[in-house]
Amino acid sequence: MALFLKEKEVEQVLTMPLALEAVEQAMKDHAFGDAVNIPRERTRIPKGALHILQGALPGRGVLGYKAYTSTKEGNCFLLYLYDSVHGNLEAIIEADLIGMTRTGAAAGIAAKWLSRPESSVVGLFGTGWQARGQLEGLCAVRPIKKVKVLGRDWQRLKSFCEENSRRLGIEVLPAAEGRETVSGSDIVTTVTTSPRPVVCHPWVERGTHLNAVGSNALIRCEIDEKTLLQCDLIAVDSREVAVRECGDLLPLVEKGRINWHQTPELGEIIAGRVPGRRDPDQITLFESHGMAIQDLAVGALVLEKARAQGLGTELPIGC
């Protein structure tokens, strides 16, 4: 029978170190052709949409998909895990926390491979649910001491800074405007739904690493063109996904100013197939759009730990 895990049960076993390990290995497997990742498909209706990401990690014996709906009332995430050998449905997992944590882990892994090791100051655009995971992922891989955060709503910004200062034990401060957020930051992270750039030329200094997380549609754009052209290295999580979704890069590709052959996948850098940062003075960028195999890898470990602790509810379904 399949195991059903609710968000509260996922929270009991999921940690950022676990997610970092799972996501890094999944992306490395993908680089070596040992994983299958299918780009997100979307079914849109006037009042909402259904999004589906699917893939397989044969080395972990898992294949499956994440399905989530988005409406004005919010989002609903479910992850379905199958045994890749026998085809049995192993689990259905509420996956909001898994999605946030694996996204933060992907950014943390990008910072591990592309930012300068001594990076300690972060500039963060966004104060939503995903921004929490971004900070946690960065703090797990770099000696972060200070974060400057820019958000649209002052009360929400103030609360976000206070909460994450306590939670992470670092200085998290409100920023007044974009230039201040970027200036002096070793790592700059954008996790917004903005249709216009929030990071603009000439704010980004040499040696900076950028994580762009929110530009996963043509109507979204977080980094302006001049800044993108300044970057010495632009990496993506999946070229196949970026070709369909990257609102930051697609306009430059259409203009012939960059091409997809110049944009390695982060997994290829992890696997040593292409070089990452070569010089402390380089500006590097990671465009994160999300991959099914990231969800599957984290979900498989969550399932393993949940079973070991006797968590979840057995469902009378599955082959």
Side-chain angles (χ1 to χ4, degrees):
M1 292 190 293
L3 190 68
F4 177 60
L5 294 174
K6 297 184 70 65
E7 292 285 356
K8 290 189 295 184
E9 294 162 324
V10 172
E11 188 175 357
Q12 292 180 55
V13 297
L14 178 56
T15 65
M16 183 55 71
L18 180 148
L20 286 163
E21 175 190 350
V23 172
E24 186 169 34
Q25 185 60 53
M27 298 180 79
K28 185 177 180 180
D29 288 348
H30 188 255
F32 283 123
D34 297 328
V36 178
N37 189 80
I38 307 300
R40 185 176 3 236
E41 296 288 348
R42 305 181 195 266
T43 301
R44 302 185 186 277
I45 57 175
K47 295 187 177 181
L50 169 67
H51 317 259
I52 297 178
L53 301 86
Q54 59 180 310
L57 292 166
R60 285 206 57 87
V62 63
L63 75 163
Y65 64 95
K66 181 173 77 173
Y68 65 100
T69 54
S70 55
T71 68
K72 290 183 178 180
E73 296 182 9
N75 303 308
C76 178
F77 300 85
L78 288 171
L79 178 64
Y80 296 77
L81 301 180
Y82 293 82
D83 183 309
S84 64
V85 176
H86 304 290
N88 299 331
L89 176 63
E90 293 289 308
I92 301 174
I93 307 174
E94 292 185 341
D96 194 6
L97 181 60
I98 285 177
M100 181 267 276
T101 307
R102 65 86 155 147
T103 305
I109 293 162
K112 172 184 171 181
W113 287 92
L114 298 177
S115 71
R116 290 176 289 112
E118 69 274 17
S119 296
S120 63
V121 180
V122 172
L124 175 65
F125 290 80
T127 59
W129 171 243
Q130 289 288 346
R132 175 187 173 98
Q134 293 297 305
L135 286 189
E136 192 170 347
L138 294 177
C139 287
V141 301
R142 287 291 182 255
I144 304 302
K145 297 177 181 178
K146 179 180 178 180
V147 182
K148 298 170 290 179
V149 188
L150 186 64
R152 292 176 296 182
D153 182 276
W154 168 248
Q155 279 304 125
R156 186 171 180 174
L157 173 60
K158 184 171 178 289
S159 297
F160 179 89
C161 291
E162 291 173 353
E163 176 193 350
N164 285 281
S165 290
R166 289 192 302 268
R167 187 172 70 92
L168 300 172
I170 59 175
E171 189 178 28
V172 184
L173 303 171
E177 45 87 29
R179 183 185 290 269
E180 177 191 344
T181 308
V182 175
S183 179
S185 296
D186 303 305
I187 300 171
V188 175
T189 295
T190 59
V191 55
T192 75
T193 58
S194 178
R196 294 178 298 277
V198 296
V199 174
C200 300
H201 181 79
W203 302 346
V204 176
E205 299 165 6
R206 301 303 306 175
T208 302
H209 171 66
L210 301 106
N211 282 327
V213 182
S215 179
N216 65 346
L218 289 176
I219 61 171
R220 295 180 182 176
C221 180
E222 295 184 307
I223 315 292
D224 77 342
E225 289 191 5
K226 287 186 177 180
T227 300
L228 290 169
L229 292 172
Q230 268 190 296
C231 293
D232 300 284
L233 172 65
I234 298 174
V236 297
D237 47 13
S238 163
R239 274 186 297 273
E240 192 175 6
V241 175
V243 165
R244 301 170 64 153
E245 296 192 351
C246 190
D248 282 335
L249 299 183
L250 282 168
L252 284 178
V253 173
E254 288 297 313
K255 294 173 184 177
R257 294 181 180 174
I258 63 171
N259 65 70
W260 295 116
H261 299 296
Q262 297 172 303
T263 55
E265 294 182 348
L266 182 58
E268 293 173 326
I269 295 171
I270 296 168
R273 301 183 70 180
V274 297
R277 176 181 286 272
R278 298 181 179 182
D279 187 292
D281 199 43
Q282 287 185 314
I283 297 174
T284 56
L285 166 65
F286 172 58
E287 288 279 351
S288 176
H289 304 105
M291 301 172 71
I293 57 172
Q294 297 169 347
D295 293 296
L296 296 178
V298 175
L301 285 179
V302 165
L303 176 59
E304 180 182 308
K305 291 186 175 296
R307 280 179 169 156
Q309 295 183 28
L311 300 175
T313 304
E314 294 284 354
L315 301 176
I317 58 175
C319 300

